[in-house]
Amino acid sequence: MIKIFNDKRIVSSVVFIVVFALMALVMMSGCNGGAMGDDATAEAETDGIEETAAEQPHEPRGNTPGNINQDGFVAASDGWVYFTIPDEKILFKMRSDGTEKQVLVDEDAEMLTGIQYINVIGDWIYYTAGSDIVKVRTDGSERTVIETLAGAMYLNVVGDWIYYSAALGGGIYEIRVDGEEKTKLHDDSAFDINVFGDWIYFINTDDDWRPYKVNLDGSDSGRLFGTEVLELQYYEGMLYYTTHDLTISKVSIDGGRSSELDEHLVPSGFIIDEGWIYYLNSTGRNKPYNLLRLDPDSGEAETIQEVEMFDESERGTIISNFNITDGWVYIYAKSLDEDYESVDEAIFRVRTDGSGLEKVIDAETEIESAAHAEE
């Protein structure tokens, strides 16, 4: 439940509570309404959607759908890493080796939410800040509001277009990176947008969290299969997803046979990177997390690192989300006291082979000093 509570953040706190309640109902409802149930290899229900080629986008893209599904708090380009501490208002950058950390943008402190869904293409960074979709140059100059929309989520920047969904009012939209030619592509509420080729794959929350697709021109859409899913990622012609039991399964995009990949629970979400599925599991309060990677072909998982977030043994740790870029897993963690109150938050990173665990930034001690260094 950690990932569900934290990763599906939306702009309005009221809407957030409603979404969390709906997800809880979905989890308690089990396999009703077309879910596959206990048969991990059952034939997925299809609704006549034609098979789509496993087409990869030719245009540059600003981040991966896996990262965007987990708030998109890290992106990398040309030897630089751009990041924020989730729920905070400061956009940082640093070199890939961890040096030259600096503040690029300090957003309005009155925003309900912090910076999310970072994408980087060329000399521009795109992200959401409160109710705004923003772009700024990679040197921090020319901050520009592209669009104002309460609850813009899951920004996928591909080529000259931004694709996103709306938490308030629903719908999937596209807009050019210059703010022109905004078009509504789909009417229903959507989570976990994955833009690949000519299609957007997403979770339709108006249809009990079933996977859908819609053409980039909005001309064709429909349900892919009938299973209720909590998280969805496209990778090389397959859809990977978690269901109410928080295990990972995969199915071809034509809604063919589904197979469950691993019996481990995936409470903190998953990201597919370089052919591996990465996820974290808590080993208990005051104990480290396990960072695992799963081979989607064999279904075999291995623990590659025990991730110890904070030194104080009396504090518990919660990992609410993580991102992967340029061979590093970036992990957002909170340290809790005995009353489960947050006393510190930080971003750590570890290489995708499990080596080199280090702290990137500490919210309590480094945000203020970094901001002062920029003055």
Side-chain angles (χ1 to χ4, degrees):
M1 286 299 299
I2 295 171
K3 188 264 179 187
I4 296 169
F5 184 84
N6 290 280
D7 185 42
K8 304 303 183 185
R9 280 189 291 266
I10 50 184
V11 172
S12 167
S13 59
V14 175
V15 176
F16 172 81
I17 294 171
V18 171
V19 170
F20 178 67
L22 288 173
M23 293 189 69
L25 289 174
V26 170
M27 291 182 66
M28 291 186 292
S29 66
C31 300
N32 295 333
M36 291 180 188
D38 295 329
D39 186 358
T41 60
E43 190 76 20
E45 175 190 344
T46 64
D47 290 329
I49 306 301
E50 295 181 0
E51 182 174 357
T52 307
E55 183 180 357
Q56 298 295 323
H58 299 293
E59 303 90 347
R61 63 184 312 126
N63 209 334
T64 65
N67 284 347
I68 295 301
N69 290 353
Q70 298 245 359
D71 281 353
F73 65 94
V74 178
S77 178
D78 293 331
W80 290 91
V81 181
Y82 303 87
F83 65 97
T84 186
I85 297 177
D87 292 332
E88 299 293 343
K89 283 80 176 177
I90 298 177
L91 178 65
F92 296 89
K93 80 172 182 179
M94 69 179 185
R95 292 201 177 274
S96 298
D97 62 5
T99 62
E100 298 186 40
K101 191 185 306 174
Q102 58 189 275
V103 172
L104 286 180
V105 181
D106 190 349
E107 290 284 357
D108 185 356
E110 299 301 318
M111 294 189 312
L112 291 175
T113 61
I115 293 170
Q116 293 177 290
Y117 312 121
I118 299 170
N119 287 256
V120 184
I121 293 182
D123 295 330
W124 290 98
I125 310 165
Y126 306 86
Y127 57 90
T128 63
S131 297
D132 294 332
I133 298 176
V134 177
K135 69 176 181 179
V136 64
R137 289 202 178 272
T138 52
D139 62 3
S141 65
E142 298 185 43
R143 181 190 181 278
T144 305
V145 175
I146 297 173
E147 169 71 351
T148 298
L149 175 73
M153 303 187 299
Y154 303 112
L155 266 64
N156 280 230
V157 183
V158 183
D160 294 328
W161 292 92
I162 303 172
Y163 302 90
Y164 60 97
S165 64
L168 302 181
I172 299 175
Y173 295 84
E174 67 174 2
I175 190 170
R176 284 194 175 274
V177 293
D178 61 5
E180 301 294 327
E181 299 184 42
K182 177 181 176 181
T183 304
K184 191 174 189 179
L185 302 176
H186 200 274
D187 290 329
D188 292 346
S189 296
F191 275 5
D192 286 9
I193 289 177
N194 294 248
V195 179
F196 279 93
D198 295 327
W199 296 93
I200 302 173
Y201 304 92
F202 64 98
I203 299 173
N204 188 330
T205 59
D206 288 342
D207 187 18
D208 295 327
W209 298 77
R210 264 80 176 202
Y212 271 61
K213 71 174 182 178
V214 62
N215 196 279
L216 291 185
D217 63 9
S219 62
D220 187 20
S221 68
R223 183 198 288 183
L224 287 166
F225 55 93
T227 303
E228 300 172 10
V229 303
L230 297 181
E231 190 168 8
L232 184 72
Q233 282 182 54
Y234 173 95
Y235 188 76
E236 294 188 350
M238 303 292 292
L239 293 173
Y240 295 80
Y241 61 92
T242 56
T243 57
H244 69 284
D245 59 1
L246 299 181
T247 56
I248 303 176
S249 298
K250 68 177 180 179
V251 64
S252 61
I253 54 176
D254 63 343
R257 295 186 65 83
S258 175
S259 58
E260 187 173 294
L261 297 178
D262 187 44
E263 73 274 7
H264 291 89
L265 295 182
V266 189
S268 296
F270 69 95
I271 293 176
I272 305 172
D273 181 76
E274 298 293 334
W276 293 92
I277 301 174
Y278 291 84
Y279 57 98
L280 291 122
N281 270 337
S282 173
T283 60
R285 181 167 167 78
N286 298 334
K287 295 182 179 179
Y289 278 68
N290 285 332
L291 174 62
L292 299 97
R293 65 180 181 183
L294 169 69
D295 183 339
D297 295 323
S298 68
E300 296 181 358
E302 60 176 336
T303 298
I304 59 174
Q305 176 66 270
E306 282 193 348
V307 185
E308 193 76 66
M309 296 287 98
F310 298 93
D311 295 333
E312 294 83 354
S313 60
E314 71 275 7
R315 293 180 178 181
T317 296
I318 286 182
I319 293 176
S320 52
N321 47 24
F322 69 102
N323 280 189
I324 300 178
T325 188
D326 276 5
W328 290 90
V329 182
Y330 290 80
I331 302 167
Y332 169 52
K334 289 185 178 181
S335 175
L336 307 178
D337 61 19
E338 294 182 354
D339 296 323
Y340 294 92
E341 296 292 333
S342 177
V343 293
D344 197 5
E345 55 182 338
I347 294 176
F348 298 78
R349 70 176 184 176
V350 60
R351 291 186 179 90
T352 51
D353 64 4
S355 65
L357 178 64
E358 63 186 27
K359 184 182 289 188
V360 174
I361 192 167
D362 185 286
E364 185 176 14
T365 61
E366 294 191 53
I367 285 183
E368 184 176 353
S369 62
H372 287 327
E374 190 67 13
E375 292 176 356

